[in-house]
Amino acid sequence: MDATFVERLDLGGPGPTVAIKDTIAVAGTRMRAGSHALDHLPPEPEHAAVVAALLAAGCHIVGKTNLHEFAYGVTGINDVTGTPVNPRFPDRVPGGSSSGSAVAVAAGAVDFALGTDTGGSVRIPAACCGIVGFKPTYGRLSRVGVMPAVSSLDCVGPFARDVATIERAMAMMDATFHTHASPSDPVLGVVTLDADATVADAFARALARTGIRHERVTLASFAEAYDAGLTIIAAENAAALGTYAESELLGADVRARLQAAMLVTPAQVAAAEVVRARFIAEVDAVLARVDALVLPTMPIPTLTLEAGRDAKAAIRATAFVREFNLSGHPAISLPLPAEGGFAPGMQLVGRRGADGALCALARAVEATLGG
């Protein structure tokens, strides 16, 4: 078995082929979350709600995919169960945590795949592997049967090679999701941020190529929202996974991060929630006058496998994504043409609940980029 799939399956009908991240329950299979620490768990008794919906729609589920251990990392490097190879850029990380799902799509092994996104874990690997990754509005897709069971940040989201397939996947999992016509004369709000020069230049060229009207916007609490997102993900992972914090079965990186998460205090979480409320209001206010926010998916180029072992460099990759887990707004990462051995990503962020409209806008943008 390669490092992309942890288990091959043959479930469902003749429809689109699908891969499922191994934090999403598939009945009769064991959920290991990229870790040997969960080897003791019995097979799942039921499908996750999203898996059941895909099977009901006639999809063909071909396997469960590997990930950054415990879904608690952004590089996809996993020394326990193996690191999926980025098919477009083999010397660079596949991105995490939903590494195997992104790689399966980028390699053409499936039509689409499911991941989960708590702090960028769909959008980051999508950007790293040069595909499309969508984080819906928080709560849009059911998390029943998804690990961890409780999260105020985590969203199930699809990967695909184009936006139309993302829309098809969403409609299969959510009867309220409808495809929209491309918007006429939309306006984008370009978030003022500091990115690596290579990324900033590629993003600016792509934005100009879209021909879409845009204006500069500022989110005053952006940096605080990033820190608040880190605080809340740590507290929630400590609550869900803290019993494994000292396990020698964990990889060193995840064990260290989980041990640090155990130190987060209720007062820190309360302060982060204050930031969350303020940031939601700021994003909503800007989205009242533009159709979507636009910004690079990552502030840095996709890390090499060697550089990905630097924890500080790795976490910096999430500097432009985890804020929208905190706020709950839908966000989609589109691939840009390859640049210097990596594929930059362009992220669009829409109004809460307006997932169909955001995807329609992303489809219009995608048509101009030529990835």
Side-chain angles (χ1 to χ4, degrees):
M1 191 68 65
D2 64 31
T4 301
F5 288 93
V6 297
E7 186 170 358
R8 296 281 186 173
L9 300 171
D10 184 10
L11 300 175
T17 53
V18 185
I20 307 293
K21 183 180 182 178
D22 197 24
T23 53
I24 302 172
V26 175
T29 71
R30 298 176 188 273
M31 188 189 296
R32 297 187 178 89
S35 179
H36 289 317
L38 302 185
D39 283 350
H40 65 286
L41 295 179
E44 295 296 319
E46 297 180 346
H47 294 309
V50 288
V51 172
L54 292 177
L55 290 172
C59 288
H60 183 198
I61 295 176
V62 302
K64 298 205 76 179
T65 54
N66 201 3
L67 59 142
H68 201 118
E69 190 177 19
F70 274 9
Y72 205 13
V74 300
T75 62
I77 294 173
N78 189 326
D79 293 327
V80 176
T81 57
T83 301
V85 177
N86 186 328
R88 291 192 64 185
F89 311 101
D91 64 329
R92 296 185 182 258
V93 301
S97 63
S98 309
S99 52
S101 289
V103 166
V105 169
V110 291
D111 295 314
F112 68 89
L114 296 190
T116 60
D117 190 316
T118 319
S121 287
V122 167
R123 290 160 290 158
I124 293 292
C128 290
C129 293
I131 58 174
V132 182
F134 181 51
K135 181 197 82 69
T137 299
Y138 176 78
R140 180 95 195 210
L141 294 181
S142 173
R143 294 192 66 262
V144 173
V146 177
M147 174 188 170
V150 177
S151 173
S152 69
L153 304 170
D154 188 52
C155 303
V156 175
F159 295 93
R161 290 181 292 278
D162 55 64
V163 177
T165 305
I166 294 286
E167 294 172 305
R168 185 180 183 191
M170 285 295 299
M172 289 176 174
M173 294 183 284
D174 174 12
T176 71
F177 180 93
H178 301 291
T179 302
H180 290 221
S182 296
S184 59
D185 196 26
V187 179
L188 298 175
V190 184
V191 183
T192 302
L193 296 167
D194 183 21
D196 175 273
T198 304
V199 171
D201 290 348
F203 174 78
R205 288 195 296 272
L207 182 61
R209 192 159 59 249
T210 69
I212 295 175
R213 289 195 298 136
H214 55 272
E215 62 182 61
R216 288 281 172 183
V217 300
T218 300
L219 297 170
S221 298
F222 197 83
E224 289 178 275
Y226 173 78
D227 291 337
L230 283 172
T231 296
I232 292 173
I233 192 175
E236 293 183 346
N237 275 348
L241 304 167
T243 54
Y244 299 100
E246 302 300 328
S247 174
E248 293 186 359
L249 294 174
L250 290 182
D253 65 323
V254 174
R255 187 166 64 247
R257 197 170 178 197
L258 193 53
Q259 288 170 351
M262 301 292 288
L263 303 178
V264 173
T265 67
Q268 289 173 313
V269 174
E273 292 292 358
V274 172
V275 174
R276 191 203 299 253
R278 183 169 71 246
F279 185 66
I280 288 172
E282 290 175 5
V283 177
D284 285 346
V286 173
L287 287 172
R289 68 175 193 268
V290 299
D291 293 280
L293 305 179
V294 63
L295 62 162
T297 306
M298 298 190 296
I300 57 175
T302 305
L303 295 169
T304 64
L305 287 163
E306 181 180 1
R309 294 189 177 276
D310 180 338
K312 289 185 178 179
I315 203 68
R316 188 181 171 222
T318 69
F320 294 172
V321 289
R322 67 174 66 250
E323 297 82 359
F324 304 109
N325 293 95
L326 185 75
S327 70
H329 291 81
I332 189 167
S333 180
L334 302 175
L336 304 183
E339 177 99 12
F342 72 101
M346 173 182 283
Q347 182 179 199
L348 298 170
V349 180
R351 301 177 183 116
R352 287 180 294 165
D355 300 54
L358 177 63
C359 286
L361 177 55
R363 192 179 350 108
V365 172
E366 175 186 60
T368 71
L369 296 178

